[in-house]
Each structure stands twice: as structure tokens, then as C-alpha cells.
Amino acid sequence: MKKALVIGDSNTWGYDPRSYFGGKYKKTWVEYLEVQDWKFISNGINGRCLHDILDMKVYEPYDFIWICLGTNDILQYRKIENIIEDMKIILTHFENAGILCPPVIEIVEFKQKSIELNQEYMKLKVPCIPYEKAELCFDGIHFSESGHKQFASNINKILNKKL
């Protein structure tokens, strides 16, 4: 069985914005991934930005590392070119790594920038899985419970064809 690490933010962690203090879903999109001969390990932290993992060390051996970040960078008004530069640096740290494009933010102020970021991710010369629409909660940032299932289903379709 091969192992893949998934480095992400609150959507990877499973943040549920419906509760007063923000809870956690019982099952997240990472746990819904079903790709033959692969096990996925979640490493999601609420509020994580790309600069938070610039010097990240991974001590356990993984066959692949997926990075699903950029949303918080956009919400902090970082420029797309700076986010892309951080991603390029991060990708050089890992031998086998790729990008899972994060959800498109549904807040009007950030939506276009979110779309542009995913388009720029797709241009990088690494494995990259495009974002396909999945249901978000009322906040326009975090997946709903069914959104986690939809996001995983989209990834499953792509990875099961390629692997």
C-alpha cells in the first residue's frame, strides 16, 4: 500500500463553521478518498498559508505529497504571483509532490482571485488536480458535509484514471 500525505488548511482539517466555536466534521474529503492501493494521511491546520510550510520537514516516508493550500493566502490579500512563488519553493522541497487546487471562494471580493490562483497552479509543471465545484457552507469558504464528499469524488475520478 502506497501512502500520500495531504497538506492543507481548515478544509483539509474538516472545519465545520456551523457551530458557535467551529467544530469538525466526523469525516473529511481526505477520508473519502478511495484510490486503489493508496492510503491518504491528512495534515490540515486551520488558517494555514503557504508561507507556514516553506520550511516544513516531513520525517515519515511518503510516496507522494499533495498540497491543497492558497485560500488563506488570498483571504490575507496576498498577490497571486507571491503565492505562486511560495508554491514553487515548497514543491522543490519534496521529491514527489503535486497540487490539489483548493475550492473557489464564493465571497464576491475574493472569487476571481481564487479562480486565477487555480489557473496559475495548473500552469506549474507538477501533477495538478483542478478544482471542480463542490458545495460550500454559508460562509463561502468551507466545504459543507456533502461538499467534502463531492470534492473527494472529483479527486477519486481523476486519480483512479491516472494511477
Side-chain angles (χ1 to χ4, degrees):
M1 174 87 45
K2 293 181 180 181
K3 292 191 316 185
L5 179 66
V6 180
I7 301 171
D9 55 21
S10 54
N11 270 320
T12 302
W13 183 78
Y15 180 77
D16 178 358
R18 297 175 300 175
S19 70
Y20 184 72
F21 292 108
K24 182 175 178 166
Y25 292 112
K26 291 179 183 172
K27 200 169 177 181
T28 70
W29 65 267
V30 177
E31 295 159 313
Y32 288 114
L33 293 176
E34 295 178 0
V35 180
Q36 187 174 349
D37 299 324
W38 281 87
K39 178 180 180 183
F40 296 87
I41 293 90
S42 178
N43 183 313
I45 296 177
N46 295 338
R48 183 184 264 165
C49 293
L50 281 160
H51 63 79
D52 295 325
I53 66 165
L54 281 172
D55 297 321
M56 183 178 182
K57 304 279 188 266
V58 176
Y59 298 101
E60 190 174 332
Y62 290 96
D63 297 290
F64 204 84
I65 295 175
W66 287 106
I67 301 167
C68 187
L69 289 170
T71 300
N72 291 310
D73 299 83
I74 289 172
L75 294 173
Q76 290 183 8
Y77 296 96
R78 293 194 65 220
K79 293 180 180 177
I80 297 289
E81 54 267 18
N82 295 335
I83 298 170
I84 294 298
E85 283 307 311
D86 282 353
M87 181 61 86
K88 286 178 181 176
I89 292 167
I90 290 162
L91 291 167
T92 64
H93 290 310
F94 303 117
E95 194 172 312
N96 294 315
I99 301 168
L100 292 169
C101 288
V104 171
I105 301 168
E106 292 295 331
I107 300 169
V108 174
E109 181 180 1
F110 301 104
K111 186 171 186 168
Q112 187 56 41
K113 195 170 179 182
S114 183
I115 291 168
E116 288 172 27
L117 177 64
N118 284 346
Q119 290 170 342
E120 291 301 314
Y121 279 165
M122 295 298 294
K123 293 177 186 175
L124 297 176
K125 296 185 181 350
V126 297
C128 189
I129 296 179
Y131 172 70
E132 291 186 32
K133 189 155 178 62
E135 184 180 277
L136 300 179
C137 276
F138 63 90
D139 66 359
I141 299 168
H142 297 97
F143 289 125
S144 66
E145 207 162 355
S146 64
H148 277 275
K149 293 175 186 173
Q150 292 167 343
F151 190 63
S153 176
N154 294 335
I155 295 167
N156 283 334
K157 287 176 196 168
I158 293 169
L159 289 181
N160 279 308
K161 286 180 186 174
K162 292 185 179 197
L163 300 177

